Amino acid sequence: MLDVCLLGTGGMMPLPRRWLTALMCRYNGSNILIDCGEGTQVAVKQKGWNFKPIDVICITHYHADHISGLPGLLLTMGNAERTEPLTMIGPKGLERVVSALRTIAPELPFEIRFLEITEPQQEFEFEEYRIKAFRVKHNVVCYGYSIEVDRKGKFDLERAKALNIPVQNWNRLQHGESVEVDGVVYTPDMVMGEARKGLKVTYTTDTRPVDPIIEAAKDADLFICEGMYGEEGKEAKAIEHKHMTFREAAELAAKAQPKEMWLTHYSPSLTKPWEYMEQVTELFPNAKPGKDGMSVDLKFEEV
C-alpha cells in the first residue's frame, strides 16, 4: 500500500488555510517528501505523520515557495535525534542551494546525500521503489517526479514442491536470489509468476503543458498536476509565467489516462478552486480539486 498526502496546495504565498507546495508518500516504512514549502511541518503534524522517518526529499526547482520550509524541517529532524542519512534529489545546483539554506541550520546529526539531476529524464533506484525525474517547462530548471513501486509475481508453491526445493530456500527465491541445493541451482524464474501491476504516483507543478508529463503520467494510479489558474481569461498570464490552467491540466490527463487526477499549486487569487471543476471533468471525469491534507491509500490490484 502506498499512502499519499497532499500536504500543501498553494503557490507563491501561503494562505490561512492553504500551505505552500508539498507532497508526502509512505511505502513500507519509507517516507518520500516532494517539495517543502512554507508550512510543511505544520501540515505533517496536522496529518498525524512524523518527520523522522523521511528517507528521501525531492525538490522540483529552486523557487522559494517550493523549498522555503526546508531549513526548519532539517532542524526538526536533527532535534528528533535522527542519525540515518537523508537522500536529497533535485536539479543541478542542489548541494549549493541546500548548503546556503543550512546557514540557519548548520549542525545536523545526520549526513545528507545529494543526487543531482543532470539529464532530461533520470531514474533513481531504491530498495523497494524507484523515483523517475522528468524535465518540465518553467522559467527556471524544473522537474516532475514519478514514484513507482513494482509488484513481483506470485510464488508457485506447487512448482517449488515439484522441483523438490527445500522449504528453507523459498524465501530467498521470493526475494530474487538464486539458491544451490546439492549441486543444483534454482533461480527465481523457476517458481515466480509474471510480475503484477505495481503502483505509480506522478507529480508535477510549475510548468507549461509538455509531452514528458503525458509520458510520465501514463496509466498512473494518481496524477497530481498544477492548476495555477481556474478562471477564464488567465491563459495569457499562464503562458507568460510558465504555469498551467485547469483546462490545460485536464487536457494532459485526458491524453495520459491516469486512474485519477488531483489539481494543486493554486494561485493565491484562486480561493475556491472547486467552482471551476466543470471545465476539467468535461475533459477528464475522474478529477478532483486538491486541498491541504487530502490523502489516499493506493492498494495493489487483486487479480
Side-chain angles (χ1 to χ4, degrees):
M1 184 167 63
L2 181 63
D3 299 332
V4 183
C5 181
L6 194 52
L7 296 171
T9 58
M12 299 173 65
M13 61 180 286
L15 298 177
R17 285 175 290 276
R18 185 189 295 167
W19 302 117
L20 288 177
T21 307
L23 174 82
M24 187 178 281
C25 298
R26 306 192 307 178
Y27 179 72
N28 205 16
S30 181
N31 287 17
I32 306 158
L33 179 69
I34 301 181
D35 280 340
C36 189
E38 187 177 345
T40 295
Q41 291 192 72
V42 180
V44 172
K45 281 293 185 183
Q46 286 177 333
K47 178 61 180 172
W49 288 2
N50 199 344
F51 309 109
K52 191 174 180 181
I54 295 175
D55 300 294
V56 182
I57 299 177
C58 303
I59 302 297
T60 57
H61 64 295
Y62 304 130
H63 278 163
D65 56 336
H66 292 257
I67 199 171
S68 58
L70 186 61
L73 176 64
L74 293 175
L75 187 61
T76 297
M77 292 167 70
N79 289 338
E81 300 180 351
R82 177 200 178 101
T83 57
E84 299 83 5
L86 170 68
T87 297
M88 292 196 66
I89 300 173
K92 189 175 180 180
L94 175 68
E95 186 170 3
R96 173 179 54 82
V97 171
V98 175
S99 295
L101 291 170
R102 281 193 56 200
T103 300
I104 57 175
E107 297 181 10
L108 297 174
F110 55 87
E111 174 193 0
I112 300 178
R113 297 172 178 171
F114 296 99
L115 301 177
E116 298 195 349
I117 308 167
T118 56
E119 303 294 333
Q121 296 185 34
Q122 201 160 331
E123 189 171 313
F124 303 91
E125 289 282 350
F126 296 89
E127 187 174 345
E128 295 189 306
Y129 55 85
R130 77 180 64 85
I131 296 174
K132 291 183 177 179
F134 53 95
R135 180 82 176 263
V136 295
K137 187 178 181 181
H138 194 37
N139 51 22
V140 298
V141 176
C142 184
Y143 285 85
Y145 294 97
S146 287
I147 300 169
E148 299 183 0
V149 179
D150 290 333
R151 192 182 189 195
K152 298 174 183 176
K154 287 186 176 181
F155 180 72
D156 190 333
L157 179 64
E158 297 305 318
R159 181 64 178 157
K161 289 179 178 178
L163 291 169
N164 295 316
I165 303 174
V167 174
Q168 60 267 30
N169 293 298
W170 291 1
N171 188 58
R172 291 175 60 192
L173 289 164
Q174 286 176 290
H175 286 83
E177 295 182 46
S178 296
V179 297
E180 183 175 349
V181 181
D182 297 331
V184 179
V185 176
Y186 298 98
T187 57
D189 60 285
M190 292 178 174
V191 292
M192 300 299 294
E194 291 292 324
R196 292 168 286 178
K197 185 183 181 302
L199 298 170
K200 180 166 78 168
V201 175
T202 299
Y203 178 90
T204 186
T205 68
D206 292 64
T207 179
R208 294 294 299 146
V210 290
D211 287 343
I213 300 174
I214 300 170
E215 296 166 12
K218 183 175 174 57
D219 299 325
D221 295 274
L222 178 60
F223 174 36
I224 301 174
C225 184
E226 145 163 19
M228 191 78 175
Y229 306 108
E231 314 94 319
E232 293 294 329
K234 295 284 188 176
E235 293 80 10
K237 195 168 187 178
I239 292 171
E240 179 186 358
H241 296 289
K242 300 292 191 299
H243 285 290
M244 271 196 285
T245 66
F246 277 25
R247 177 168 290 277
E248 288 171 327
E251 289 170 348
L252 290 176
K255 293 175 182 177
Q257 286 299 303
K259 287 186 178 179
E260 187 174 351
M261 178 178 72
W262 295 353
L263 292 173
T264 189
H265 198 263
Y266 305 125
S267 165
S269 65
L270 185 62
T271 56
K272 298 179 180 179
W274 55 88
E275 292 184 348
Y276 304 94
M277 286 302 294
E278 185 175 350
Q279 60 180 311
V280 178
T281 54
E282 284 178 356
L283 295 170
F284 186 76
N286 201 16
K288 297 176 182 177
K291 61 181 180 180
D292 287 24
M294 189 168 175
S295 60
V296 65
D297 298 334
L298 298 175
K299 298 178 181 179
F300 292 115
E301 290 181 355
E302 291 301 328
V303 180

